[in-house]
Amino acid sequence: MQSLHYNVAIIGAGVAGLTAALVLAKQGLKVVVFDSQGPEKRSFGECVHGNIAPILAKLDLLEQFEQAGHFALQGYQIEWDGAGEYERHLLASPHGTGWILNRSEFDKTLLLQAQQAGVEVFWHARLHDLKWQGKKWDLVIKHNDGTHSTVTADFAVDASGRARVLTRKLGVSEKKADTLIACCSYLAHKTPHSMFAKKAIIQSDPHGWWYLVPFSSTQSSLCYFTDTDLATPKSPNVLLEMAKEHTALAQYLMTCEPDKTTPFKIVPAYSSSIDRYFGKRWLALGDAACSYDPLSSYGVTSALGSAFYGASAMLKYFNGEPEYLGVYEQLMQARFLDFLTRKNTEYSKVSHYQSAFWQRRQVA
C-alpha cells in the first residue's frame, strides 16, 4: 500500500462506506476502504420499511436483496404510551411491507458487490493521521500489527459512524440531541419462534425502551435503550432477565438464551449531526454525517441513501460540478430536521413515567 494513490479513500466499511465505494467504483474510480475492525464483525439486526426498495433499485441490489431470505416485516407489536398494547401494521404503507434484516447476510452482499466492482478493502486498519498536501490527501494508516502505511487520495470520506474518525481529526464539531445507548444481545431460541409472526416488538419501561425482533427461525436481537448516566445491564443474562419482567416480551423469551457466538454490546445510539457535511475534498456519509435514534428505523435506509447521493455528488465534483456537494448537504440537513420533529413527537407520547429518561424527552 505504501506508494498507492486512489481517487477516493473511505474510512469505514459499514453500509454507508461500502455503498459509496460501490457507486464510485462502478463509474471507474479507484477506491479504497479502511476499517478498524475485521470482516467478521456483526451488526445487530434491524427493521427497514418498504421505502428501502427504491434506493436498492438505484444500486442494482433489489433483486439480490429480495432473494436473500430477509424476513418480511408485517408490522410492530407496541406497548408505548401507557394506553395498552396495540399493533401497527405495514400492509397499508405506500411502499408495502418492510423487512427484518439478517445484517450478517446484508453486509456480506454489500462487501462482495463492492469488491467485484474493484474496491480494495483493508481490515484492521485505522486512520492514524491525514494531511492535505497540495492537491491530495496523505493518509497514514495504522495496522493491528503496529505497522503504518501511507496512501494518497484525491478525496477523503468519513463513513466511520458515530466515531467520526476523519471529521474529528479535521476539527469538525458535532451536536448531540441526547445520550442514548443500546445494550444488545443476540438470542438463540431452542424452538422456532413462529409466534413472532414476523413482527418487531417495542416496549417502553420507566428508564428507557425495549426492542425485540427475530431475524431467522431460531435467532433474534434483543436491545435495551437508555441514557449513559442511568443503570445498564452488564451482561446478556442480566439483559434477558430484565426483559422477562415485561409480559409483552416474556412470552417470546421463555425458551431462549443469549447466543454464545456473539458478544454482548453496549454501543452509542444517540441522535446527532455535524456542523458541516463536506469541505475541501472531504465528505461525511451515513452516521458520520448524522445519526438517528433507532426508534425511527432510519438506520440502514438512511445510510444507503446518504451514500448513494453523497457518492453521486462526488462524481459530479470529479466532472467539474462541485456545487452538488452543497445540494447533498442541504438534502441531509433537511432530512435530519424532519427526523428530529418526528422523534420528539413520538417520545412526547410517553408521559406516564416520571423518570429522568422520559422527562428529558418531553417537548415543552
Side-chain angles (χ1 to χ4, degrees), residues 109 130 135 174 239 285 302 347:
T109 297
L130 79 162
K135 295 184 178 180
E174 66 178 358
L239 180 76
L285 299 172
S302 176
Y347 275 110

Side-chain angles (χ1 to χ4, degrees), residues 343-361:
K343 177 179 80 81
N344 292 339
T345 298
E346 196 63 34
Y347 275 110
S348 293
K349 295 177 182 178
V350 183
S351 59
H352 59 298
Y353 298 122
Q354 300 303 311
S355 62
F357 180 88
W358 293 104
Q359 288 179 354
R360 292 166 183 168
R361 287 160 174 80

Side-chain angles (χ1 to χ4, degrees), residues 30-43:
K30 188 175 182 182
V31 184
V32 64
V33 179
F34 300 102
D35 197 283
S36 60
Q37 299 185 64
E40 70 283 353
K41 66 179 181 178
R42 295 184 70 182
S43 300

Side-chain angles (χ1 to χ4, degrees), residues 23-210:
V23 173
L24 295 167
K26 280 187 172 182
Q27 297 302 312
L29 272 64
K30 188 175 182 182
V31 184
V32 64
V33 179
F34 300 102
D35 197 283
S36 60
Q37 299 185 64
E40 70 283 353
K41 66 179 181 178
R42 295 184 70 182
S43 300
F44 285 85
E46 61 186 274
C47 298
V48 295
H49 294 172
N51 60 359
I52 196 176
I55 194 66
L56 287 171
K58 289 179 182 292
L59 294 165
D60 295 324
L61 294 175
L62 182 57
E63 184 176 350
Q64 285 179 277
F65 180 85
E66 292 176 335
Q67 295 174 355
H70 302 293
F71 272 18
L73 172 66
Q74 302 298 328
Y76 296 90
Q77 177 183 316
I78 302 169
E79 190 162 320
W80 186 249
D81 57 7
E85 184 179 302
Y86 66 94
E87 299 222 356
R88 180 187 300 167
H89 296 286
L90 299 178
L91 294 175
S93 165
H95 297 284
T97 60
W99 290 271
I100 302 170
L101 293 187
N102 183 324
R103 275 299 300 272
S104 179
E105 292 303 314
F106 184 75
D107 293 348
K108 286 177 184 177
T109 297
L110 266 183
L111 175 61
L112 179 61
Q113 291 299 308
Q115 290 176 322
Q116 289 180 345
V119 176
E120 295 182 56
V121 182
F122 293 93
W123 300 103
H124 303 295
R126 65 181 67 247
L127 179 64
H128 180 70
D129 196 15
L130 79 162
K131 294 180 181 178
W132 178 253
Q133 301 282 11
K135 295 184 178 180
K136 59 182 175 61
W137 288 102
D138 284 350
L139 297 94
V140 180
I141 305 299
K142 184 176 181 179
H143 307 276
N144 266 15
D145 61 5
T147 61
H148 292 75
S149 299
T150 301
V151 300
T152 61
D154 300 315
F155 214 104
V157 174
D158 194 342
S160 61
R162 290 177 175 88
R164 295 176 172 134
V165 173
L166 190 150
T167 50
R168 284 179 180 170
K169 290 185 181 299
L170 295 176
V172 180
S173 60
E174 66 178 358
K175 296 178 181 178
K176 295 182 181 179
D178 51 67
T179 62
L180 194 70
I181 54 173
C183 310
C184 305
S185 176
Y186 276 125
L187 301 179
H189 294 251
K190 296 177 183 178
T191 56
H193 44 171
S194 58
M195 71 288 289
F196 270 76
K198 297 181 181 179
K199 61 187 176 185
I201 300 161
I202 296 173
Q203 165 83 51
S204 65
D205 90 355
H207 306 293
W209 58 278
W210 293 88

